[in-house]
Amino acid sequence: MSSYVGVHVSDQWLQSQFTQVELRSLKSKFTSVKNQNGEVTVEDLPPLTVKLKAFNSMFNEEEIRGILSESFSDMSSEIDFEGFLRAYLNLQGRATAKSGESKHASSFLKAMTTTLLHTINESEKASYVVHINSYLADDPFLKQFLPLDPASSDLFNLVRDGVLLCKLINVAVPGTIDERAINTKRVLNPWERNENHTLCLNSAKAIGCTVVNIGTQDLVEGRPHLVLGLISQIIKIQLLADLSLKKTPQLVELVDDNNDVEELMGLAPEKILLKWMNFHLKKSGYEKPVTNFSSDLKDGKAYAYLLNVLAPEFCNPATLDAKDSVERASLVLDHAERMDCKRYLRPEDIVEGSPNLNLAFVAQIFHQRSGLSTDSKKYSFAEMMKDDVQTSREERCFRLWINSLGIATYVNNVFEDVRNGWLLLEVLDKISPGSVNWKQTSKPPIKMPFRKVENCNQVIKIGSQLKFSLVNVGGNDIVQGNKKLILAFLWQLMRYNMLQLLKNLRSHSQGKEITDADILKWTNCKVKSTGRTSQIDNFKDKSLSTGMFFLELLSAVEPRVVNWNLVTKGETDDEKRLNATYIISVARKLGCSIFLLPEDIIEVNQKMILTLAASIMYWSLQKAMEEGESSPPPANGKCAITPDVSPARSISGEDENSSLGGEVSNLNIDDAASYTTVSSQIESEEAPGGE
């Protein structure tokens, strides 16, 4: 595998202020200016930093020049990379002060893991450690290291080899990672450790975590704020897994009619949990609605009413009579323990309004005793609304892919979330920068139906410009929630993004369009180059169901990544499933960000098979580019793609560096590529406008 070299800064404090992903991005920009001018001076910084997304809406060049002049008397003096980083932090501090936002916002309830979250909440850390000790105590490999001490740095030390996080992901969503692909030796070498973290980050994305700001080196270093941010997302996904009508159809009891059921299906799990809590609080006589997991729960009264209605047999009248909030919170926790709810928080955490720990506590109560009806007649309608298996799998794939892009909106239900058009506009602007006219859009919440249609009409217009197949498709079809057309549009979006990524990687040579046929040709050529005879006619070739072709392809791009002792012949359904599960984990371990399921390989789902092949091709070509290889002709034993089509004009009109930035991590999460994701967040781009 290609090696990873982190960006090292001599000043340890300065290094601690950035993730490796950010350091690589900023180093790239600094080096670009230096290569162009021979040196970087303070005078070069205003035009450079004004383009960074962190500052482009805060300062103009003159304002940045004025701020820098306070620290540098001579603007023509040369500045090194560390000086640039200090100037960046200074500007970031000014921008934060100007916006009035706290740098230390909690990351648990947000999809994005924020940078500069350096204050560690010891209560949260302790609760995560208790969770890990509880759920992984019997793990054959980890039990030698558990239980961890919540008061020590044991957690951050154990995270360094990547095994713990991989195991925790499997606790949250069982079966996500084939544990045969995890390197579990007592002492791992740097390659094996990096593979585990790459597998972890790609798998975290595959269950819905947003990790665009985290690189493998950050996990190797055990950086506390990033480790806790990732763990919090994984645990949140586990705790909220059942808060959907598909998993818990009894939730239909929370609504009054069929129209409300559709609305319930589109709610985020946290919102459903609040709705559930208020449903029971209303029955208990508690009149104040709970709207958050922080200030509304500080006095403990809502908890007291909730537990009294759910488990009256354990009720203690003294709870509501208590005058002191801490005392009341303590009695609430005693009540919960008698219900067998795990005690992960302290009375002080309730009184202080910790949103992360309160959400976890309410979720624990829901799992232990939801108080919802078990009468099947009451939720038959919810069961009728379930999608067919194929539709559900495609919705899941596109939802996770969109969430991996790092856009502002987090998707909970694709079919509901796309209906106002805003989400699709964000995705289009991400994969084809500059294509959206934000001045002609309406930002949610959108009350007027025709505004939603206007947004969706622009979505269709841009799709047509990108040459999508949209015959007889209008914006109103999206507004109406036509699932078949929505899935077809999303597939074309995803495919366009994949092909653009491959085209951008090859822009230094031919710069021509890449097609499905080119990907097919490359995969066959790559396998053949190793002396193997497996070949496929297309991406719906039934022979793909055994998994052997993709295992040979993965071995061809990186011989050491496949352990052939673990591979089956793929003759029976069970053997096919074992191979398919192994393929997905090996591909993620290699560095491919993919969202398909084993069933997609076993059943040879043509669309998902193409995404897998394209992702492997992307990783291989990127590796070759990093190692300085040009595209050699086939005569040298290497696979080259020579499309016959003519070069297509860039939709965005940007140069290849800017169009590549921000999209690389969509198919690859390893540090060598993921810095470009942060680059896209830092680079200037037109911000989504208002109504």
Side-chain angles (χ1 to χ4, degrees):
M1 293 177 65
S2 56
S3 61
Y4 167 80
V5 180
V7 177
H8 297 289
V9 180
S10 60
D11 185 330
Q12 290 300 308
W13 176 87
L14 188 59
Q15 172 127 11
S16 72
Q17 301 305 298
F18 300 90
T19 68
Q20 277 293 325
V21 181
E22 291 170 313
L23 284 173
R24 287 185 67 108
S25 176
L26 292 171
K27 181 77 171 181
S28 172
K29 296 182 184 307
F30 181 85
T31 303
S32 177
V33 174
K34 188 171 183 177
N35 290 341
Q36 184 176 350
N37 301 338
E39 65 176 12
V40 180
T41 66
V42 180
E43 190 64 41
D44 292 323
L45 298 189
L48 169 62
T49 53
V50 77
K51 297 177 182 178
L52 305 183
K53 190 176 180 182
F55 312 128
N56 66 357
S57 61
M58 292 291 178
F59 308 117
N60 56 37
E61 278 194 39
E62 286 305 314
E63 289 174 319
I64 292 175
R65 187 172 285 105
I67 294 171
L68 293 174
S69 66
E70 297 173 9
S71 304
F72 300 94
S73 56
D74 183 6
M75 296 292 284
S76 63
S77 61
E78 184 176 359
I79 188 171
D80 60 12
F81 181 58
E82 290 192 17
F84 169 56
L85 292 179
R86 291 190 176 89
Y88 181 92
L89 286 177
N90 181 28
L91 288 169
Q92 193 169 51
R94 296 291 187 95
T96 300
K98 187 174 181 180
S99 66
E101 296 174 353
S102 169
K103 293 197 300 183
H104 304 302
S106 169
S107 65
F108 188 86
L109 295 177
K110 298 180 180 180
M112 190 73 69
T113 300
T114 56
T115 318
L116 298 177
L117 181 61
H118 301 310
T119 55
I120 302 302
N121 186 313
E122 290 297 331
S123 291
E124 290 186 17
K125 185 190 84 170
S127 73
Y128 301 156
V129 169
V130 171
H131 184 94
I132 290 167
N133 287 339
S134 173
Y135 283 92
L136 291 171
D138 297 327
D139 182 85
F141 178 78
L142 290 176
K143 64 183 180 182
Q144 60 186 312
F145 305 107
L146 301 178
L148 300 174
D149 179 4
S152 71
S153 297
D154 287 353
L155 173 62
F156 306 121
N157 293 329
L158 187 55
V159 158
R160 293 174 186 267
D161 67 7
V163 177
L164 173 64
L165 292 176
C166 287
K167 299 275 190 175
L168 191 61
I169 287 171
N170 269 356
V171 169
V173 183
T176 299
I177 297 175
D178 186 332
E179 296 200 2
R180 295 176 298 171
I182 304 174
N183 300 314
T184 53
K185 293 191 305 185
R186 184 64 185 261
V187 179
L188 299 178
N189 62 42
W191 293 120
E192 294 165 331
R193 188 179 296 115
N194 185 72
E195 284 179 343
N196 280 350
H197 289 307
T198 303
L199 174 59
C200 163
L201 290 175
N202 278 305
S203 300
K205 286 173 62 178
I207 66 171
C209 297
T210 304
V211 296
V212 294
N213 226 24
I214 308 176
T216 58
Q217 186 66 16
D218 296 312
L219 299 181
V220 170
E221 295 171 3
R223 301 188 67 179
H225 64 290
L226 293 176
V227 169
L228 290 183
L230 180 56
I231 289 176
S232 69
Q233 289 189 76
I234 296 170
I235 292 177
K236 173 188 171 184
I237 287 169
Q238 176 189 343
L239 294 177
L240 302 181
D242 292 337
L243 281 154
S244 71
L245 282 175
K246 291 181 181 179
K247 293 286 187 70
T248 311
Q250 296 95 325
L251 286 167
V252 75
E253 190 177 347
L254 303 182
V255 297
D256 297 324
D257 57 46
N258 295 348
N259 290 332
D260 291 336
V261 172
E262 292 191 24
E263 181 183 345
L264 185 66
M265 291 182 68
L267 288 180
E270 300 97 313
K271 298 292 186 183
I272 295 177
L273 195 59
L274 285 173
K275 195 174 185 70
W276 167 81
M277 190 175 188
N278 283 312
F279 172 78
H280 286 301
L281 287 175
K282 185 177 180 180
K283 289 197 300 185
S284 72
Y286 188 76
E287 298 180 354
K288 180 182 177 183
V290 175
T291 61
N292 57 63
F293 293 102
S294 182
S295 58
D296 288 354
L297 300 175
K298 283 185 175 182
D299 60 11
K301 290 182 180 180
Y303 278 134
Y305 277 91
L306 176 66
L307 296 180
N308 284 351
V309 75
L310 290 176
E313 68 273 24
F314 299 125
C315 175
N316 184 345
T319 306
L320 287 174
D321 295 335
K323 303 298 183 185
D324 181 67
S325 296
V326 176
E327 180 186 355
R328 185 183 302 113
S330 180
L331 291 170
V332 162
L333 293 179
D334 289 340
H335 191 162
E337 275 196 295
R338 289 194 292 273
M339 292 170 54
D340 291 330
C341 287
K342 294 182 175 67
R343 187 165 182 165
Y344 289 168
L345 76 172
R346 307 167 304 156
E348 292 79 9
D349 297 322
I350 294 177
V351 174
E352 292 170 6
S354 170
N356 297 357
L357 299 182
N358 275 313
L359 180 143
F361 183 45
V362 177
Q364 286 285 346
I365 296 172
F366 173 84
H367 285 294
Q368 193 62 32
R369 191 171 297 196
S370 71
L372 298 175
S373 173
T374 56
D375 182 359
S376 60
K377 294 180 181 179
K378 291 188 177 182
Y379 55 84
S380 59
F381 179 76
E383 291 186 318
M384 288 169 56
M385 293 186 66
K386 288 186 178 181
D387 297 318
D388 64 78
V389 174
Q390 185 61 43
T391 298
S392 296
R393 288 215 302 260
E394 291 194 14
E395 186 276 336
R396 170 195 170 276
C397 173
F398 295 136
R399 168 166 40 87
L400 295 171
W401 170 66
I402 292 171
N403 285 334
S404 77
L405 298 177
I407 61 176
T409 301
Y410 189 83
V411 186
N412 292 291
N413 182 302
V414 166
F415 298 127
E416 293 300 317
D417 294 350
V418 301
R419 291 176 63 175
N420 60 24
W422 183 262
L423 172 65
L424 292 175
L425 290 170
E426 286 185 284
V427 175
L428 283 164
D429 193 58
K430 188 73 174 183
I431 69 173
S432 181
S435 61
V436 177
N437 183 349
W438 292 108
K439 294 179 180 178
Q440 296 181 6
T441 64
S442 298
K443 186 175 183 179
I446 305 172
K447 295 182 180 179
M448 304 300 292
F450 75 91
R451 294 291 187 191
K452 298 178 183 179
V453 176
E454 286 177 346
N455 280 354
C456 292
N457 282 340
Q458 185 176 172
V459 167
I460 299 300
K461 179 182 177 182
I462 297 170
S464 298
Q465 292 170 350
L466 298 179
K467 296 183 170 34
F468 291 179
S469 176
L470 297 169
V471 179
N472 297 325
V473 179
N476 197 51
D477 293 311
I478 298 174
V479 176
Q480 295 299 319
N482 186 315
K483 293 182 179 181
K484 183 178 180 180
L485 295 179
I486 289 171
L487 289 177
F489 187 85
L490 287 171
W491 164 243
Q492 293 183 83
L493 271 178
M494 190 177 188
R495 179 179 173 276
Y496 172 84
N497 187 42
M498 291 187 304
L499 297 180
Q500 286 298 106
L501 290 173
L502 290 168
K503 174 191 171 184
N504 286 332
L505 273 185
R506 301 183 58 77
S507 59
H508 291 292
S509 51
Q510 294 128 340
K512 297 179 180 179
E513 296 292 338
I514 300 293
T515 67
D516 298 4
D518 295 321
I519 299 173
L520 178 67
K521 177 181 177 182
W522 179 88
T523 57
N524 278 326
C525 177
K526 201 70 180 176
V527 171
K528 188 176 181 180
S529 69
T530 63
R532 297 181 184 272
T533 58
S534 297
Q535 297 284 280
I536 57 174
D537 296 327
N538 49 54
F539 290 120
K540 54 184 178 182
D541 193 314
K542 293 301 181 183
S543 67
L544 289 167
S545 67
T546 67
M548 294 305 298
F549 181 81
F550 275 115
L551 287 166
E552 291 179 358
L553 177 61
L554 287 164
S555 182
V557 299
E558 180 51 68
R560 64 183 295 277
V561 79
V562 175
N563 182 349
W564 288 100
N565 293 326
L566 302 176
V567 175
T568 73
K569 294 181 180 180
E571 295 176 346
T572 66
D573 289 344
D574 288 342
E575 288 183 347
K576 289 178 180 180
R577 178 167 291 278
L578 284 170
N579 283 353
T581 304
Y582 188 55
I583 287 167
I584 292 171
S585 289
V586 168
R588 287 174 179 155
K589 179 178 178 177
L590 192 67
C592 303
S593 183
I594 49 178
F595 305 102
L596 77 168
L597 293 170
E599 290 81 1
D600 293 315
I601 297 176
I602 297 168
E603 297 170 12
V604 193
N605 181 324
Q606 184 179 2
K607 295 177 184 177
M608 298 301 109
I609 292 290
L610 174 60
T611 66
L612 176 59
S615 184
I616 297 171
M617 178 180 177
Y618 180 85
W619 184 88
S620 180
L621 293 178
Q622 185 187 57
K623 174 189 174 185
M625 190 175 71
E626 289 172 359
E627 293 176 351
E629 295 180 12
S630 59
S631 296
N636 292 347
K638 301 292 183 66
C639 296
I641 302 299
T642 53
D644 297 326
V645 296
S646 302
R649 180 179 61 84
S650 171
I651 297 294
S652 64
E654 298 187 29
D655 62 29
E656 51 106 359
N657 287 328
S658 61
S659 62
L660 180 60
E663 296 177 343
V664 171
S665 72
N666 302 341
L667 289 176
N668 193 332
I669 192 62
D670 68 0
D671 288 301
S674 59
Y675 78 92
T676 52
T677 302
V678 176
S679 174
S680 74
Q681 296 172 345
I682 296 176
E683 285 175 1
S684 174
E685 59 184 34
E686 185 180 0
E691 303 247 1

